[in-house]
Amino acid sequence: DTGVSQNPRHKITKRGQNVTFRCDPISEHNRLYWYRQTLGQGPEFLTYFQNEAQLEKSRLLSDRFSAERPKGSFSTLEIQRTEQGDSAMYLCASSLPNEQFFGPGTRLTVL
Amino acid sequence: AQSVTQLGSHVSVSEGALVLLRCNYSSSVPPYLFWYVQYPNQGLQLLLKYTSAATLVKGINGFEAEFKKSETSFHLTKPSAHMSDAAEYFCALEDSGAGSYQLTFGKGTKLSVIP
């Protein structure tokens, strides 16, 4: 399958723990995005990479969040000292011009 | 600032009836507009997109949408609903002048199809 993949699909953690999510984009796409989706809301933009460079970050991305994309391939999103408000679906997308392809998401539950 | 408003968080239609999901946008530059569908516990799948070509856009699964600049609208329609259309639908806007091409989404409309 050549779509966007995300791992893990589900993560349950206790408040205060660190978590890391991985996104593998479609191989020829040089743009990669992270979005967060909470219940009853549309996805909200978090951050954007062009190749390995992180070019834009939303104000939603607090200091506890960090994202990387080494070598312009897969990307990781780490949340440190998780809070209950971090519970959400985290979506990754990779992009051609004018079309973003989304992965299945990682659902995070913080207890 | 750009924004997307979807009127109606929940729409119910009978199987075989017309589907109409409403989307209005606000943008300071000519927008690119999208409709995505999301099934439970899945990611988003692109239904169709408007990128300044034809104002009537046809997508997958029999859906279409019409861009109306004067009304700042991009409503999604399907002539005859099928049970498999039950899902959540999101309208999104891409700022064609922004370097990141990030999407701004509406809050979504959950479509229920009644047998």
Side-chain angles (χ1 to χ4, degrees), chain B:
Chain B
Q2 55 189 8
S3 65
V4 175
T5 302
Q6 291 183 240
L7 298 176
S9 59
H10 197 168
V11 171
S12 292
V13 299
S14 298
E15 191 174 16
L18 172 72
V19 175
L20 171 61
L21 303 182
R22 299 178 187 274
C23 172
N24 289 88
Y25 70 90
S26 173
S27 177
S28 58
V29 298
Y32 292 170
L33 293 159
F34 305 80
W35 275 99
Y36 284 87
V37 62
Q38 186 177 36
Y39 296 97
N41 297 313
Q42 294 188 26
L44 283 76
Q45 179 184 9
L46 181 68
L47 279 176
L48 49 79
K49 61 182 179 181
Y50 166 77
T51 56
S52 73
T55 57
L56 182 62
V57 180
K58 294 188 184 298
I60 62 172
N61 301 337
F63 285 94
E64 63 181 38
E66 186 171 10
F67 173 71
K68 292 186 177 180
K69 183 178 179 180
S70 61
E71 298 178 8
T72 60
S73 69
F74 189 57
H75 301 331
L76 181 71
T77 61
K78 181 174 180 177
S80 176
H82 192 272
M83 294 299 293
S84 61
D85 295 327
E88 190 150 23
Y89 293 79
F90 292 94
C91 182
L93 177 157
E94 177 192 286
D95 184 350
S96 60
S100 69
Y101 306 98
Q102 63 179 266
L103 295 175
T104 299
F105 286 87
K107 292 187 175 182
T109 298
K110 186 173 183 180
L111 176 66
S112 298
V113 182
I114 304 165

Side-chain angles (χ1 to χ4, degrees), chain A residues 5-8 20-24 34 73-77 92 106:
Chain A
S5 62
Q6 292 187 245
N7 287 287
T20 300
F21 310 141
R22 176 177 170 129
C23 171
D24 287 273
W34 285 97
S73 56
F74 70 91
S75 177
T76 58
L77 178 68
C92 175
T106 296

